[in-house]
Amino acid sequence: MRLVRLSLVFALLVSVGATRASAQSCDDGVRLFPAPGATVPTNVEFILEGVLAEQDRVTKLLAEAALTLLGGGEAIGVTVTRGWSSTMNRVAVKLKPKRALDPNTEYTLTLDRALPRVKLLNDTWGDNSARWRTGPGADTTSPKFTTRPAVSEGFYQRTRDGLTRTLKLRTQVNDLSASWLLISMQRARGVASKQQYFVPVEGEWAVIGHDACSGSFGFDDGRAYKLSVELFDAAGNTTKAVALELSAPRPTGPEPEPEKK
């Protein structure tokens, strides 16, 4: 097994690169987990996320079931099941191939057939293709937290485009394939509805919170929240959830003045 260092972060870079990333995050489109280009186990389960205006089309796939994987000279049907809805303009569904994939084979998801002219928001080869290559076999080992998740830092920024508010956790995970978190969150005090959404782990980072357009979770300034964090891998293996508390980021200085017209 390989040891993966994870840091779950409420942070964005305040730079030209961050400005461009923010603009991209305001696009209508879909994201896939594991990200296209990754090597996946033969028993992989995908997650398809609809962002902004694509939320409705992704949700309708539950009834249409129009997705297939092409590879190894055949088409494999994909079952679409319900996932989670974010309070911040995102929705996610689960995609499970109807049989195990062949090892060491490239597969392409027929995304354009089910979602014509959709924009893939993952960083890809530039051709909007959703392709993966399978590894030598299945992943049947449950992922594990080797270090308990802990809050690292928060970030808060209000601009003319809206509010960005994110938070950072730090942990270590031991697993064979890509990992993601199912986070259930609600206010530590008072009456408030529970938010639940998935958070992909990308390299050493997993970001929760929201930017000016959409996100995984919504926060209120400085409020305390209770979280239940469950770890999954790309094959759907899971482990026992851990609990923690955190406080949402709040403004640390004066609000920016509105632009003069």
Side-chain angles (χ1 to χ4, degrees):
M1 294 185 181
R2 60 185 176 89
L3 186 63
V4 182
R5 298 181 66 90
L6 309 180
S7 296
L8 314 176
V9 180
F10 280 125
L12 293 175
L13 298 175
V14 183
S15 64
V16 174
T19 301
R20 290 173 180 169
S22 177
Q24 290 175 353
S25 69
C26 292
D27 290 342
D28 302 320
V30 297
R31 289 191 180 92
L32 283 156
F33 177 86
T39 299
V40 298
T42 56
N43 58 339
V44 64
E45 297 179 3
F46 300 99
I47 296 174
L48 175 65
E49 183 179 33
V51 178
L52 297 175
E54 292 295 354
Q55 293 176 94
D56 288 343
R57 285 211 294 174
V58 168
T59 300
K60 288 177 181 177
L61 292 176
L62 292 167
E64 296 173 0
L67 292 170
T68 57
L69 281 166
L70 302 178
E74 64 175 316
I76 299 174
V78 174
T79 300
V80 183
T81 59
R82 193 170 302 279
W84 314 273
S85 294
S86 164
T87 60
M88 303 299 295
N89 301 315
R90 294 186 187 181
V91 66
V93 296
K94 300 177 184 178
L95 310 179
K96 185 173 182 178
K98 292 185 177 180
R99 71 160 180 82
L101 305 183
D102 295 330
N104 304 311
T105 302
E106 185 174 273
Y107 286 90
T108 300
L109 184 66
T110 57
L111 204 55
D112 286 336
R113 292 185 186 179
L115 302 169
R117 298 174 300 281
V118 72
K119 182 175 182 179
L120 183 59
L121 300 178
N122 296 92
D123 291 331
T124 63
W125 306 270
D127 58 1
N128 210 44
S129 296
R131 302 196 301 267
W132 301 265
R133 187 168 185 82
T134 54
D139 180 359
T140 58
T141 304
S142 294
K144 297 184 184 301
F145 288 117
T146 57
T147 302
R148 183 182 178 83
V151 177
S152 176
E153 63 182 282
F155 179 82
Y156 185 109
Q157 182 183 45
R158 187 182 292 277
T159 67
R160 67 179 182 273
D161 296 320
L163 174 65
T164 293
R165 188 160 35 195
T166 54
L167 196 74
K168 203 194 245 193
L169 310 173
R170 189 184 233 8
T171 189
Q172 288 186 328
V173 171
N174 202 341
D175 194 59
L176 292 170
S177 56
S179 302
W180 57 276
L181 307 173
L182 179 60
I183 297 180
S184 301
M185 183 180 83
Q186 62 187 125
R187 289 257 202 96
R189 289 172 290 280
V191 178
S193 59
K194 181 169 70 174
Q195 301 179 62
Q196 186 179 66
Y197 204 67
F198 95 105
V199 180
V201 176
E202 300 174 347
E204 295 185 351
W205 305 100
V207 179
I208 64 175
H210 64 88
D211 58 27
C213 304
S214 70
S216 51
F217 292 93
F219 298 101
D220 293 322
D221 288 356
R223 294 287 187 177
Y225 289 87
K226 291 182 177 180
L227 274 66
S228 173
V229 182
E230 191 173 1
L231 177 65
F232 288 80
D233 64 21
N237 302 308
T238 187
T239 191
K240 185 178 179 180
V242 299
L244 66 151
E245 287 198 24
L246 56 84
S247 293
R250 66 172 74 213
T252 56
E255 291 289 301
E257 295 182 5
E259 280 196 334
K260 294 180 180 180
K261 295 184 179 180

